[in-house]
Amino acid sequence: MDVRVIVGPGVVADRGLLGEVAGREFADLGVSGALGHATSADEVRAALAGRASEAVVVVLGDDPEVRRLMLEPSEGVVWVDLTRRDSGPRGVARIHGRGVSGLEWGIRHAVRRARRPSPRVPYGEHADQWAELHLPESAGPHPVVALIHGGYWRSIWGADLMDALCDDLAGRGFAAWNLEYRRPDLHGWKATTSDVAAGLAALRGVDAPLDLDRVAVAGHSAGGQLALRAAADGSRMALAVSLAGVLDLVEGDRRWISSGAVAAALGADGERGRAGEGEPASRGDGAGGGGLREELAEASPLLRLPMRVPRLVVQGADDDLDHVDFSRRYAAAAERCGDDVTYLELPGDHFAVIDPRTPIWQATARAIAESLR
């Protein structure tokens, strides 16, 4: 496979560093590639029109003419903003806000899209309300694994985080439903939770050979919280899977994980100042006492027990110690409540649980298959 990276005018980054990043990704993915620089929108347009490569990544600067090219048909192109941009055109494959490392993610996303094209299925009017369906080559009906990405509920992280798992699951005979949703830093907490519920429900309207009695919903990190929250709220699933999930939002808030990600996501970061200052949020004795407490009581998986949906809680032993603590305490509490919960802890860091090459993911995939058998 050939990959072309086009760096547009006005990109503020060292040229040599961009070339090093691209070269490493080409080698790691086993593709041939080239990186070039364009000085105008016309040069970018000409490169797109004349491309013979299967995958193209365009790194965007501030040039408005180049940015308008995203509105033109550009099948197979992934657009990368090194800076955060709050909105983009609907249906465009776009990564933003991850700095120079965004080029790494953009190349990976472009290669995986070229190798396994998958339709985007909208479930709402907003540009971030969609899911990608990845189907196995075998005949159906297929059991389904719906995937909910993490990123501490921040909009710079998207469904491309789960690309590798989609490929792996499809190779194992599962249909993968990779769900995008509006994140609360731009749209508020209620938009996020309603999108996850709507995106999971939309799976049942897809015209594909799916076995909808065998659906697992797996979320990574913040997505683990969203997956278990959706199960507690009544979304239909045979199994809920937490992959290094943030499962105790009360302690997550009190410990100020990821610089206050919990309070920021739930929209209450101005309510008490820094988490842990003043009166702490409720630890299971009801929701009263303010907006943050009420949201925590609904949103924290630990506070929604018991929950009569089978669960698989997966945790890398080399992850951040708070994540290990959340997962262990959640699994123990669920077991005390009489819930059907399996706890799987193996060596691996926070991202090992979504890396198909790792023993912990391979054990997870086997456990999901056994549960949905």
Side-chain angles (χ1 to χ4, degrees), residues 81-119:
D81 266 309
L82 306 187
T83 58
R84 171 170 156 161
R85 299 280 177 164
D86 289 350
S87 62
R90 186 180 183 90
V92 169
R94 174 177 164 270
I95 290 170
H96 73 108
R98 303 182 200 176
V100 173
S101 66
L103 177 56
E104 299 174 336
W105 291 101
I107 293 171
R108 294 170 200 168
H109 191 46
V111 169
R112 289 182 176 127
R113 285 170 61 86
R115 285 176 173 169
R116 189 185 288 271
S118 301

Side-chain angles (χ1 to χ4, degrees), residues 184-236:
D185 58 344
L186 298 180
H187 304 285
W189 184 245
K190 293 187 185 303
T192 298
T193 56
S194 64
D195 276 7
V196 170
L200 294 176
L203 178 60
R204 302 187 176 273
V206 173
D207 183 14
L210 307 178
D211 184 347
L212 297 178
D213 291 325
R214 294 191 292 161
V215 176
V217 178
H220 174 237
S221 192
Q225 176 272 323
L226 292 170
L228 269 59
R229 161 73 186 266
D233 285 348
S235 291
R236 290 177 58 189

Side-chain angles (χ1 to χ4, degrees), residues 50-74:
R51 62 190 171 102
S53 52
E54 298 177 73
V56 175
V57 177
V58 179
V59 184
L60 293 161
D62 292 330
D63 188 310
E65 293 297 321
V66 177
R67 303 192 69 82
R68 276 195 282 273
L69 294 178
M70 285 191 287
L71 300 174
E72 300 178 8
S74 54

Side-chain angles (χ1 to χ4, degrees), residues 13-26:
D14 181 77
R15 288 193 171 198
L17 181 59
L18 293 176
E20 293 167 17
V21 168
R24 286 196 298 266
E25 286 303 312
F26 298 154

Side-chain angles (χ1 to χ4, degrees), residues 41-363:
D42 287 339
E43 286 188 16
V44 175
R45 182 181 287 106
L48 292 176
R51 62 190 171 102
S53 52
E54 298 177 73
V56 175
V57 177
V58 179
V59 184
L60 293 161
D62 292 330
D63 188 310
E65 293 297 321
V66 177
R67 303 192 69 82
R68 276 195 282 273
L69 294 178
M70 285 191 287
L71 300 174
E72 300 178 8
S74 54
E75 186 68 28
V77 178
V78 174
W79 304 82
V80 174
D81 266 309
L82 306 187
T83 58
R84 171 170 156 161
R85 299 280 177 164
D86 289 350
S87 62
R90 186 180 183 90
V92 169
R94 174 177 164 270
I95 290 170
H96 73 108
R98 303 182 200 176
V100 173
S101 66
L103 177 56
E104 299 174 336
W105 291 101
I107 293 171
R108 294 170 200 168
H109 191 46
V111 169
R112 289 182 176 127
R113 285 170 61 86
R115 285 176 173 169
R116 189 185 288 271
S118 301
R120 284 192 173 181
V121 182
Y123 63 85
E125 296 300 321
H126 191 271
D128 289 338
Q129 291 175 306
W130 54 265
E132 285 183 346
L133 181 63
H134 298 251
L135 291 173
E137 294 180 0
S138 58
H142 309 290
V144 181
V145 180
L147 296 169
I148 305 175
H149 71 81
Y152 277 120
W153 308 281
R154 291 174 176 136
S155 58
I156 65 170
W157 299 104
D160 65 285
L161 288 171
M162 309 301 264
D163 280 350
L165 289 196
C166 291
D167 290 346
D168 183 79
L169 287 164
R172 295 174 184 269
F174 294 96
W177 181 246
N178 195 14
L179 182 63
E180 189 56 279
Y181 53 91
R182 292 172 294 174
R183 270 74 87 207
D185 58 344
L186 298 180
H187 304 285
W189 184 245
K190 293 187 185 303
T192 298
T193 56
S194 64
D195 276 7
V196 170
L200 294 176
L203 178 60
R204 302 187 176 273
V206 173
D207 183 14
L210 307 178
D211 184 347
L212 297 178
D213 291 325
R214 294 191 292 161
V215 176
V217 178
H220 174 237
S221 192
Q225 176 272 323
L226 292 170
L228 269 59
R229 161 73 186 266
D233 285 348
S235 291
R236 290 177 58 189
M237 64 188 76
L239 177 70
V241 183
S242 168
L243 304 169
V246 187
L247 303 183
D248 182 353
L249 294 192
V250 173
E251 276 302 304
D253 176 48
R254 287 164 57 92
R255 298 178 193 180
W256 205 242
I257 60 170
S258 190
S259 303
V262 173
L266 271 62
D269 49 336
E271 182 179 312
R272 293 184 294 114
R274 182 179 170 87
E277 297 177 359
E279 185 179 358
S282 166
R283 291 191 56 81
D285 55 348
L292 180 57
R293 291 190 186 193
E294 294 168 3
E295 293 288 1
L296 286 171
E298 290 185 353
S300 180
L302 187 60
L303 297 183
R304 299 295 298 271
L305 297 172
M307 192 178 77
R308 305 305 180 189
V309 175
R311 264 144 299 150
L312 173 62
V313 178
V314 181
Q315 181 59 56
D318 307 308
D319 198 349
D320 183 283
L321 293 177
D322 289 315
H323 280 278
V324 178
D325 175 57
F326 298 158
S327 291
R328 288 185 181 182
R329 287 192 296 105
Y330 176 86
E335 187 173 0
R336 288 195 300 269
C337 291
D339 278 356
D340 180 356
V341 59
T342 299
Y343 184 65
L344 175 62
E345 183 177 317
L346 289 172
D349 62 17
H350 191 61
F351 290 95
V353 295
I354 59 170
D355 185 342
R357 300 169 294 185
T358 62
I360 191 170
W361 168 253
Q362 292 162 21

